[in-house]
């Protein structure tokens, strides 16, 4: 199994650095022995503070906009939305600081840099004029710190410094170096600077932060007040803790972070690096090794960045990208931490691309697509935390913008749980911001968590109460159209536009994705009511709406309709494929049960083309896998593995790929594609469709022989399987829940019925 990323030179920028993290602290390691750079993040360090999520006059404007759209005047309706409804932007995820380790090594004669994903340790082994040396870097979850050890066979001198791009002060005293600072109160997104404002503004009440490190060495330690100097050391250990003022999304960030950092640091300062490392690797590998994918690849003795050139032939790369996504998930989404944002927990920019926020019209959801299939249900909890925030703040938004019950969120969320549509005073903003469906989409994840884990307590106490409030919002909003169908209106289809008289518009009477998300939420609420034996009347109301809810339609050209009418699209190859939600992640369309709709999806995909952003490619891999076309599915993984130079920092043509450090290039770096591709590969091997477990449903020829151990499927079932020349040769199912399941193997029509006894592996084949 491929578990290592390997390089023969230090990173030149972030896109070549190696990422480590414990969900809270994130670090990007550059690994240059002479001047090492380690950029640091903390998952709660964001600009901003709690605010209100309503807007005066918004509901009145909404009513007027709705009237215009329903009467066919899209330009007038969209104008009202953009001028009178759209509101404040989200805040941004901040870089915390950078740590530098300088050493007097002289010329380097040999160099290796590796990330061992199974143990979550980065190592740099090198030889310089002074002899050989090694560096190890890890972020420990059990000890809550970043730990770095530099060892060498002869003495070295080091200088250790730190700084931050935010407002900060730095102090070095004794063996400690500490940085304290303040995040901005407001960061405006790139390209959206209101007149008379600064891109980055500081002000009262924003988030403070501290990080501090303790040095342990056999050398002589001194300091000049700002940096630490170590002379004549063969061993140097740095232990770093960090914290911010954040306590809760609805409270001023006023925690004493300095006090908390120093108490954490003093608690671990005595710990030996070897002990920290052994507890860390034990902890990390226990999650990482839950799943094992072996595609019988030949060993390739090449640096990882060079292997990307041979994508499509180098089978081990599929294992590597699959394992890397799981590695990133375990490193960034620990129980009790914040959900992974656009850049996971790793961001170096003070004005990051798209604020490094939660973009919830595909990106955040994609981050959590692989979590259950890859047997990491605990790592889903941070998303629940995020959903809980919006379920509170979104009540104000529902009331203020729509005069509706329940709660709603739009396309952006931040640490503070913002829920309003963004794009204040911005012409053209409706295409991304006027989309009130993320609260519905996020609820699919809550119900899915139950379906995988069968955790009824979670369903009763957490998932269903939130789902019900989300459903109430859409219930209030539905109106009957002239055909007697319930529609959610007006809306958009993220982030696509169509042409009217040669001009681009985005707001429509209804969109397929909006309808699908509502249908799914209502359907799942009905299931909850049955499982929990509650809310019978509410469920009947939902059932009644479901019967007349506008759903999929096929256009004259055989494609699935994206909007209420077959508009001429502004961009036929648009990167989003929102109207295919019902195929993936939704479960409305399958090749067997709805073949016509499946064909329409195929046509839509063909027409959209085979290019895309990193996440767009991953989504298409999942969609083709659901269409049972393994060859097409894997071709998107190959395109995603297309090397993107470390120097490419922004998007030009939405051509996605992979940076040298295997991070997904939207471009720029966006972590969603790394997670989406894991889901895509898992979908090729295992699906759950219409109550049937489908094994190897979309197996590409080049993955004809292999094994996968530990993948999970709905029903709390763990699947271990081996296959040879495209045929399943061994299958074992295990579950803590007694149940009888139906299993279909490969393309064969024959279904098997399997009875599972709790905790006892059942060998089916
Ligand atoms: C949506 C996408 C972009 C990008 C951004 C973060 O706006 O359309 O491609 O992923 O989110």
């Amino acid at each position: 199994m491929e578990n290592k990323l390997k390089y023969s030179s230090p990173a030149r920028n972030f896109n070549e650095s190696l990422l480590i993290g414990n969900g809270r602290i994130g670090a990007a390691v550059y690994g240059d022995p002479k001047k090492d750079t380690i950029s640091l993040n903390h998952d709660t360090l964001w600009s901003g503070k709690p605010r209100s999520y309503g807007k005066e006059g918004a509901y009145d404007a909404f009513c007027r906009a709705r009237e215009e759209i329903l009467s066919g005047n899209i330009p007038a309706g969209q104008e009202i939305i953009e001028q009178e409804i759209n509101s404040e932007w989200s805040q941004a995820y901040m870089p915390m600081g950078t740590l530098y380790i300088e050493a007097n090594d002289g010329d380097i004669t040999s160099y290796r840099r590796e990330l061992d994903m199974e143990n979550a340790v980065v190592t740099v082994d090198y030889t310089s004029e002074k002899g050989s040396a090694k560096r190890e870097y890890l972020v420990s979850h059990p000890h809550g710190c970043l730990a770095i050890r530099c060892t060498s066979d002869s003495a070295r001198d080091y200088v250790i410094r730190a700084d931050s791009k935010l407002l900060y002060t730095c102090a070095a005293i004794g063996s400690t170096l500490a940085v304290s600072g303040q995040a901005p109160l407001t960061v405006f997104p790139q390209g959206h600077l209101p007149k008379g404002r600064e891109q980055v503004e500081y002000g009262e009440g924003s988030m403070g932060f501290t990080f501090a490190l303790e040095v342990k060495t056999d050398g002589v330690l001194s300091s000049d007040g700002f940096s630490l100097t170590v002379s004549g050391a063969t061993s140097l250990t740095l232990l770093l803790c960090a914290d911010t003022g954040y306590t809760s999304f609805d409270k001023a960030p006023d925690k004493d972070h300095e006090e908390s950092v120093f108490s954490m640091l003093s608690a671990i300062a005595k710990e030996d690096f070897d002990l920290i490392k052994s507890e860390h690797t034990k902890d990390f590998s226990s999650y990482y090794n839950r799943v094992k994918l072996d595609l019988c690849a030949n060993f390739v003795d090449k640096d990882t960045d060079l292997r990307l050139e041979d994508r499509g032939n180098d089978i081990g790369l599929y294992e590597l990208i699959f394992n890397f996504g799981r590695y990133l998930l375990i490193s960034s989404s620990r129980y009790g931490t914040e959900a992974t944002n656009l850049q996971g927990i790793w961001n170096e920019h003070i004005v990051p691309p798209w604020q490094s926020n939660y973009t919830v019209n595909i990106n955040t959801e994609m981050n959590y697509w692989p979590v259950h299939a890859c047997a990491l249900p605990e790592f889903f909890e941070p998303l629940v935390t995020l959903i809980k925030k919006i379920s509170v703040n979104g009540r104000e938004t529902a009331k203020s913008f729509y005069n509706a019950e329940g709660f709603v969120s739009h396309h952006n969320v931040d640490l503070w749980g913002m829920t309003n549509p963004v794009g204040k005073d911005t012409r053209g903003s409706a295409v991304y911001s006027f989309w009130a469906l993320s609260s519905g989409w996020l609820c699919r994840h809550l119900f899915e968590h139950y379906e995988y884990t069968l955790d009824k307590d979670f369903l009763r106490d957490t998932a269903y109460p939130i789902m019900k409030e989300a459903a109430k919002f859409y219930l209030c909003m539905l109106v009957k159209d002239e055909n007697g169908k319930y529609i959610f209106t007006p809306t958009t289809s993220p982030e696509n536009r169509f042409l009217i008289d040669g001009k681009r518009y985005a707001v429509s009477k209804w969109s397929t994705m909006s309808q699908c998300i509502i249908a799914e939420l209502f359907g799942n609420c009905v299931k909850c009511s049955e499982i929990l034996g509650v809310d019978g009347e509410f469920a009947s109301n939902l059932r009644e709406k479901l019967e007349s809810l506008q759903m999929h339609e096929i256009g004259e050209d055989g494609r699935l309709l994206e909007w209420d009418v077959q508009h001429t699209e502004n961009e036929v190859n648009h990167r989003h494929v929102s109207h295919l939600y019902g195929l993936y992640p939704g479960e409305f369309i399958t090749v067997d049960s709805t073949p016509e709709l499946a064909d329409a999806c195929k046509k839509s995909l063909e027409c959209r083309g085979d290019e895309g952003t990193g996440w767009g490619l991953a989504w298409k891999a999942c969609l083709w896998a659901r269409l049972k076309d393994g060859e097409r599915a894997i071709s998107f993984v190959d395109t995603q593995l297309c090397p993107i130079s470390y120097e490419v920092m922004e998007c030009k043509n939405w051509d996605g790929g992979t940076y040298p450090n295997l991070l997904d290039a939207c471009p720029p770096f966006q972590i969603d594609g790394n997670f989406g591709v894991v889901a895509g590969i898992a979908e090729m091997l295992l699906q759950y469709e219409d109550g049937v477990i489908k094994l190897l449903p979309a197996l590409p020829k080049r993955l004809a022989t292999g094994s996968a151990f530990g993948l999970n499927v709905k029903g709390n079932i763990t699947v271990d399987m081996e296959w040879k020349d495209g045929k399943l040769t061994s299958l074992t199912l295990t579950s803590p829940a007694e149940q009888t399941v139906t299993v279909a193997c490969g393309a064969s029509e024959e279904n098997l019925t399997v009875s599972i006894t709790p905790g006892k592996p059942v060998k089916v084949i």
Side-chain angles (χ1 to χ4, degrees), residues 18-27 41 43 93 115-121 138-141 280 283-284 287-288 323-335 337-338 340 343-346 376 379 671 675:
L18 293 173
L19 304 186
I20 47 178
N22 64 356
R24 188 118 275 161
I25 298 174
N41 284 104
D43 69 328
Y93 181 54
L115 166 63
D116 171 354
M117 296 192 283
E118 183 180 6
N119 295 306
V121 177
L138 60 95
V139 184
S140 155
H141 187 260
H280 161 73
D283 167 71
F284 197 96
Y287 300 112
Y288 183 88
N323 289 336
F324 187 52
R326 295 190 307 113
Y327 166 80
L328 290 173
L329 193 54
I330 303 167
S331 304
S332 60
S333 191
R334 287 284 183 143
Y335 192 94
T337 66
E338 299 300 317
T340 51
Q343 297 183 200
I345 52 168
W346 298 277
L376 295 169
F379 295 79
I671 208 159
F675 295 132

Side-chain angles (χ1 to χ4, degrees), residues 342 353-354 357 359 361-363 411-412 432 494-495 574-576 613 615 654 666 670 672:
L342 283 172
W354 294 288
N357 67 13
T359 304
N361 62 13
I362 174 64
N363 316 86
H411 101 298
N412 273 175
Y432 45 86
E495 306 183 6
H574 193 265
R575 60 196 182 283
H576 287 255
T613 53
W615 58 260
W654 300 110
C666 180
Q670 230 170 258
D672 38 25

Side-chain angles (χ1 to χ4, degrees), residues 519-701:
E520 179 180 75
L521 175 63
F522 284 9
N524 286 341
C525 282
V526 169
K527 286 185 200 156
C528 289
S529 147
E530 287 160 3
I531 298 163
L532 299 170
V534 295
D535 288 341
E537 212 175 301
F538 182 65
S540 338
N541 188 7
L542 295 175
R543 270 196 211 94
E544 185 239 304
K545 295 289 180 311
L546 277 169
E547 270 162 30
S548 318
L549 199 70
Q550 171 66 49
M551 286 299 283
H552 298 105
E553 283 194 18
I554 299 173
E556 277 165 21
D557 61 0
R559 289 188 289 155
L560 205 67
L561 270 195
E562 182 155 2
W563 300 280
D564 52 311
V565 285
Q566 184 131 28
H567 287 297
T568 306
E569 288 135 306
N570 167 56
E571 201 186 330
V572 183
N573 302 120
H574 193 265
R575 60 196 182 283
H576 287 255
V577 278
S578 308
H579 51 322
L580 307 188
Y581 182 95
L583 176 63
Y584 190 96
E587 288 150 67
F588 289 104
I589 302 174
T590 71
V591 174
D592 295 331
S593 63
T594 55
E596 282 165 15
L597 289 175
D599 265 353
C601 288
K602 242 182 231 176
K603 287 206 178 86
S604 301
L605 276 171
E606 299 281 7
C607 201
R608 275 292 214 263
D610 291 352
E611 271 85 49
T613 53
W615 58 260
L617 297 166
W619 195 354
K620 287 174 185 169
C622 293
L623 287 160
W624 281 108
R626 280 277 166 95
L627 288 169
K628 310 288 183 283
D629 191 336
E631 300 309 321
R632 289 303 290 269
I634 198 102
S635 76
F636 284 94
V637 180
D638 294 339
T639 311
Q640 201 183 323
L641 287 169
C642 179
I644 301 284
S645 161
Y646 73 100
E647 290 169 304
V648 176
M649 289 296 178
E650 57 187 44
C651 58
K652 292 236 160 65
N653 304 316
W654 300 110
D655 279 344
T658 296
Y659 284 120
N661 57 6
L662 281 201
L663 287 180
D664 171 62
C666 180
F669 159 52
Q670 230 170 258
I671 208 159
D672 38 25
N674 284 108
F675 295 132
V677 72
V678 178
I681 293 171
E683 282 289 319
M684 293 176 213
L685 305 175
L686 187 61
Q687 293 177 18
Y688 184 86
E689 200 174 88
D690 300 327
V692 179
I693 299 172
K694 303 216 162 167
L695 304 152
L696 309 178
L699 191 69
K701 284 200 192 75

